[in-house]
Amino acid sequence: MINYKNKCKKFFAFFLFAAGFSAFSQQSGAFKSEEANARSSIGARSASSGLAEQEFRRGVQAYYRGAFNDAILQFEKSLSYLPEENIILDWLGKAYYRSGVEGAALEHWQYAANEGYGGLLLQNRIEIVRDRRLLAGGALDKPVRYTESGSYSGKNSEGIYVFNQPVSVLPNNDGTMWVLSYATNELLKLDLNGLVIERNGGYFNGFDRPMDVIRLHNGNLLVSEFAGDRVSMFSPKGTFIKSFGEKGTKVGALVGPQYLAEDSDGNIYVSDFGNSRIDVFDAEGKPLFFFGTKSDDFAGLKGPTGIAVYENIVYVADCLTGAVHRFDVSGNYLGLLCKNKTFKKPESMKRWGRYLVVCDKNKVYSVDSDTGALFENLSSGNAPSRLTSAVPDINGNILVTDFSSNEVYVMAKLSEVVGGLFVQIERVISDSFPHVTIEVKVENRSRQSVVGLKENNFLITENKAAVQNYKLEGAAYANENADITLLIDRSLSSGRYEESLESAVKEIAASMENRGTLRIVSAGAVPLIEYEGSPSGVSNFKAKNLKNPLSSTVALDVAVRMCANNLINAAKKSAILYIGDGHVTQNAFDKYGLSDLNAYLNNNSIGFANLLLAQGASDSELNFLCSHTEGGEYYVYRDEGLSSIVDDIINIPSGIYVLSYDSALATDFGQKYLPVEVESFIMNRSGRDETGYFAPLQ
């Protein structure tokens, strides 16, 4: 058995050393079973329990302020009075978790669980955190098997059609989705619960058998109309802009257009089933050329359907031959990716990473774009089925349209369906008690945020009894601003790019349009905060004005930790943008390991992006932080400029929700530990968390 009195001394000494890097944020989920509450309550009247109770109360308050290291110290003190108290172990584990020290968190949680505390909720939390740590060390980029998590039926409970013959679906970043209804000639917008938000019948004469919908790089929507022999363009909100194409065989003419794709230059590709070819238009809809017809080295497309563009290669599925062909963006034939009869009758083909997701009758496959290797992602079974579109959504699911059964399926990984959602109560604000506000974070088991939840997707209880005046106050995914910290590398090698650095800082600050707070931290031998305030305050930024001198050694780990500390209590969308030449100095991660930094960022919803001042590959440490958090990598002189980086950060999905209610509990003048429970559910998946708080002293 672990001696927690000795462990207290060890952890106490460690966090006195680390106290200079305290973090600030919300809270994490915790709970206390009725059995454990009766068996090991810290309310027992004794000198030790009285002192433990005081320190425990201070620890809970520090935790909700975001002062996690302070909370750790308070919980360690409380535990020194009552070494076997499970609820203190639970809270101590939560404080370690939010501080990024997941190993210590798991150790404390496991000890409490071994003593019978916490039940299935604590066991589930331990299992999820352990699985995430394993994946963070070496996740493989490969397709997985999906199973049905739920579905949206084309008919409501009264037998009235909501949509009929769904043929294509397009997810949005806020959890909603566009669904094309082939039979009723409509483009519908549905929320996460399947409720219709908007109906769009097209422009003037309306849609004429709409077939596919995609989102262009500029955010506009593009809809192909199979019977109308045209393609229509809409704004991101569904307002008609224009149509292009006409019936015929000349350049720019169409006969039965089906599926759509766009390349990196904004050119639009349309699979023209009637003409057995691919038609190409520019970003404005002006005809350019067509390809895929018979030539000396190619027999010609027979029935082109699904189409995708990846790394300047155009992939085209042929429903009559069952093959997938490759072309360059100029239309030159490059050969087969999948030979004839690989598929029975392929429909749409959408890119997902380096894979192509192909619908083939009642199955969906992932095709490796390099080798053509197939992996079966899902099957709709033996019932009559015609899957026409499959695309990943913002919540880590695959949305699939079934033309025959008149349903849109939500497919999830089997582990997600069985394990449910990971719900964490991150903060309880009780300053206005009995009115209480809580911040809840909802993720799947793979750490992906679940966005789009509504008020009816939550249930709040106190001691298992429903609360009064419950309200969803807001959701972070809808925020249109973000707090950004620019982490400027002050190594000797990065110092050679001062001009590039200055232009990058100015462009990023300008693109924030005074939305959110901008911070600048210089990473040298010791990190320094150079600026904090409105983005407009650095419009005349000069590298020579940085206080931190260039250095041969850069403590990048300490700098990242400092940046994160200042972002924990910032806007719900926040990120660190590292600016340097992509190289780290020796011993850059001596004090904090990459795994702990990664956990600290992820457990507090902070992204990490990398802006390179020089061309070339980044060092593996920077790649690790970028790939394991919400962030990306950019080159300072990329063709599209840097303004979209801010939009990318704002568009990072966030599963943080703010809920409020009126408590009916007695506070014992602010001395009583008050419980609260939250359950979140969507379709047949759910997750739950329990925690407690103290009302203000009276």
Side-chain angles (χ1 to χ4, degrees), residues 234-485:
F234 297 82
S235 73
K237 294 185 178 181
T239 302
F240 178 81
I241 298 175
K242 62 182 173 182
S243 295
F244 54 89
E246 58 179 312
K247 187 178 181 66
T249 59
K250 65 180 182 179
V251 174
L254 304 163
V255 178
Q258 292 203 11
Y259 296 99
L260 305 164
E262 182 188 23
D263 67 16
S264 57
D265 293 325
N267 293 325
I268 297 164
Y269 298 77
V270 185
S271 60
D272 189 340
F273 190 85
N275 285 321
S276 300
R277 68 190 190 193
I278 303 299
D279 293 281
V280 185
F281 301 82
D282 70 9
E284 300 300 319
K286 297 179 181 178
L288 297 177
F289 59 94
F290 61 78
F291 64 87
T293 55
K294 185 176 181 180
S295 63
D296 293 339
D297 59 345
F298 179 49
L301 295 170
K302 308 302 180 185
T305 49
I307 185 168
V309 183
Y310 178 51
E311 292 186 343
N312 291 325
I313 297 179
V314 184
Y315 299 89
V316 182
D318 195 312
C319 71
L320 297 183
T321 65
V324 175
H325 301 276
R326 299 183 302 126
F327 302 84
D328 64 21
V329 290
S330 298
N332 300 305
Y333 187 63
L334 301 178
L336 286 168
L337 176 68
C338 301
K339 63 182 181 181
N340 290 350
K341 298 183 180 180
T342 298
F343 301 103
K344 296 178 180 179
K345 194 173 182 181
E347 295 277 357
S348 76
M349 180 165 58
K350 307 292 183 181
R351 185 175 74 84
W352 190 2
R354 66 185 180 91
Y355 292 94
L356 307 174
V357 181
V358 181
C359 291
D360 187 30
K361 297 193 73 174
N362 67 330
K363 295 182 179 181
V364 174
Y365 296 93
S366 289
V367 182
D368 191 308
S369 60
D370 293 327
T371 65
L374 265 66
F375 180 90
E376 184 182 316
N377 291 112
L378 58 94
S379 172
S380 61
N382 296 324
S385 182
R386 180 186 172 190
L387 306 183
T388 54
S389 176
V391 290
D393 73 358
I394 195 70
N395 291 326
N397 307 309
I398 295 181
L399 302 179
V400 184
T401 55
D402 191 330
F403 191 85
S404 297
S405 70
N406 195 30
E407 288 186 286
V408 178
Y409 301 120
V410 180
M411 315 297 286
K413 299 174 185 176
L414 182 60
S415 60
E416 301 289 348
V417 175
V418 174
L421 304 174
F422 187 38
V423 178
Q424 304 166 78
I425 302 174
E426 295 205 322
R427 173 179 285 179
V428 179
I429 304 169
S430 58
D431 297 345
S432 301
F433 190 88
H435 188 70
V436 180
T437 300
I438 61 176
E439 295 178 1
V440 180
K441 186 176 183 179
V442 185
E443 299 175 310
N444 63 19
R445 295 175 68 90
S446 303
R447 211 191 283 277
Q448 290 175 296
S449 293
V450 176
V451 305
L453 297 176
K454 305 300 181 183
E455 195 167 286
N456 58 354
N457 294 118
F458 293 94
L459 175 65
I460 304 178
T461 57
E462 295 176 319
N463 282 329
K464 313 301 184 292
V467 299
Q468 298 177 345
N469 301 324
Y470 155 60
K471 183 179 180 181
L472 174 61
E473 300 286 354
Y477 70 82
N479 289 3
E480 296 182 354
N481 64 282
D483 283 1
I484 299 174
T485 296

Side-chain angles (χ1 to χ4, degrees), residues 97 102 129-141 441 443-449 560 574 576 593-610 619-633 652-653:
Y97 174 79
E102 291 184 336
V129 174
R130 278 181 176 163
D131 288 347
R132 288 177 172 182
R133 283 166 60 82
L134 292 173
L135 289 174
L140 297 176
D141 177 24
K441 186 176 183 179
E443 299 175 310
N444 63 19
R445 295 175 68 90
S446 303
R447 211 191 283 277
Q448 290 175 296
S449 293
V560 171
S574 60
I576 300 168
L594 285 172
S595 294
D596 285 348
L597 285 175
N598 171 63
Y600 189 42
L601 295 173
N602 278 314
N603 295 347
N604 294 287
S605 304
I606 300 172
F608 185 92
N610 186 9
D619 286 350
S620 58
E621 295 90 341
L622 294 171
N623 285 333
F624 180 90
L625 290 176
C626 278
S627 60
H628 288 83
T629 63
E630 294 285 358
E633 186 171 277
I652 289 175

Side-chain angles (χ1 to χ4, degrees), residues 19-61:
F21 307 108
S22 294
F24 301 91
S25 180
Q26 297 86 25
Q27 189 221 20
S28 181
F31 50 86
K32 186 176 184 182
S33 69
E34 293 182 4
E35 178 185 355
N37 190 27
R39 182 170 52 84
S40 60
S41 171
I42 64 172
R45 294 293 91 197
S46 69
S48 294
S49 64
L51 293 171
E53 191 174 277
Q54 292 177 18
E55 300 298 342
F56 178 76
R57 189 181 196 279
R58 294 189 186 106
V60 171
Q61 291 174 326

Side-chain angles (χ1 to χ4, degrees), residues 21 87 92 127 137 151 173 202 207 225 239 265 292 297 308 328 527 624:
F21 307 108
I87 190 173
L92 183 55
E127 179 185 337
S151 66
N173 286 336
F207 289 121
E225 300 183 55
T239 302
D265 293 325
D297 59 345
D328 64 21
F624 180 90

